[in-house]
Amino acid sequence: MAEVDNKVPAEVRTQFGKGFARRLRVAGQIPAVVYGHGAEVIHVAVPARQVTLLLRKKNAILDLQIDGKSQLTLVKDVQKDPVRQIIEHIDLVVVTKGEKVVVNVPLHIVGTQQAGAVLELDAKAVPLLAEATHIPEFIEINIDGKAPGFKVTFADLDLPADATIDGESTRLVVHVHAASAKDSAESGEELAAELADEAAHAEHKAEIHAEQHEAEKAKALADAELSGAAAAAEAAE
């Protein structure tokens, strides 16, 4: 997928409220607020499609084009409709090139641990102090073939040269241990639950197919009766 341009046209807005925000979203825009660096808070509207694509990346940087001027901003918070998951509002904080910010960067696990061993994930993200315009999309951890006893802490992570841990560096991220009887029991229960769900789903599908078959059969009979009645009427004429 081609990279989405982070230069975002932003229109300053002076109207507020749920009704106005709803009209903005209908028009394909998202209400947002820009603040930080002691500057006056600015309320803007940004294009929904472009921004939604940019927000697929964690800690996205938006280069807002406001009244012909460029303003770098970091996505601080995104409010979504809990049911439809439509973006309702965005909080953007002003940043500058070279400035360092604290962000939570996702951790990506690659590979598979040694057969029979169990992987425990102790953290899903790492707090980093990184340059605003060079925030890594994720930090990768390779656990391929790792045996029980293997562990990774924040201090062991392979970070970009200009990024540092913002927190306790000894905190555990992942570790591998030998499977226990409890693990085996839990795995057995999970497998049984999955099989039960699959069986229930298959039964439900069979019921739906049977209902559809009966409905089609009834329709065919009704059509045949109508055809027979029409034929009889023609013969009578």
Side-chain angles (χ1 to χ4, degrees):
M1 184 178 68
E3 188 171 345
V4 183
D5 188 0
N6 78 327
K7 286 190 175 182
V8 178
E11 182 180 343
V12 176
R13 58 189 174 92
T14 56
Q15 290 180 279
F16 311 97
K18 292 183 178 180
F20 179 70
R22 191 180 304 111
R23 291 195 295 275
L24 273 181
R25 289 191 288 272
V26 169
Q29 294 185 300
I30 301 171
V33 61
V34 183
Y35 58 90
H37 281 267
E40 184 179 350
V41 174
I42 304 175
H43 297 271
V44 298
V46 294
R49 177 173 171 75
Q50 180 186 7
V51 171
T52 298
L53 291 173
L54 288 168
L55 291 181
R56 291 181 178 179
K57 180 180 179 181
K58 186 73 173 176
N59 301 310
I61 294 290
L62 306 187
D63 185 359
L64 298 184
Q65 307 299 302
I66 307 174
D67 294 334
K69 297 181 180 179
S70 176
Q71 177 62 70
L72 290 179
T73 61
L74 170 67
V75 176
K76 193 68 175 179
D77 188 45
V78 178
Q79 291 99 52
K80 292 184 178 182
D81 181 282
V83 177
R84 296 178 297 166
Q85 289 299 296
I86 295 173
I87 298 174
E88 295 186 328
H89 190 274
I90 305 173
D91 286 4
L92 302 167
V93 62
V94 172
V95 295
T96 58
K97 288 185 178 179
E99 176 187 2
K100 289 202 169 185
V101 294
V102 176
V103 289
N104 283 318
V105 177
L107 296 168
H108 281 200
I109 306 297
V110 296
T112 305
Q113 69 274 16
Q114 191 179 81
V118 176
L119 173 71
E120 294 286 351
L121 182 62
D122 301 286
K124 294 182 179 180
V126 54
L128 291 185
L129 180 63
E131 189 178 336
T133 54
H134 292 87
I135 300 171
E137 190 170 352
F138 58 83
I139 301 297
E140 188 174 277
I141 303 173
N142 192 331
I143 55 99
D144 200 40
K146 300 304 181 183
F150 173 79
K151 65 179 181 179
V152 175
T153 66
F154 281 163
D156 300 321
L157 296 174
D158 186 14
L159 304 178
D162 60 348
T164 56
I165 300 294
D166 183 68
E168 184 56 60
S169 61
T170 57
R171 181 180 172 185
L172 199 60
V173 178
V174 297
H175 70 280
V176 177
H177 62 82
S180 63
K182 181 182 177 182
D183 293 320
S184 299
E186 289 177 349
S187 297
E189 289 174 1
E190 290 172 359
L191 178 58
E194 287 178 7
L195 291 174
D197 286 343
E198 289 177 3
H201 183 60
E203 184 178 349
H204 183 56
K205 284 180 68 177
E207 289 175 356
I208 291 174
H209 288 160
E211 289 174 0
Q212 289 175 339
H213 178 70
E214 289 299 324
E216 290 171 0
K217 183 178 177 181
K219 185 177 183 300
L221 288 172
D223 290 342
E225 289 177 1
L226 286 173
S227 297
E234 287 179 4
E237 291 175 357

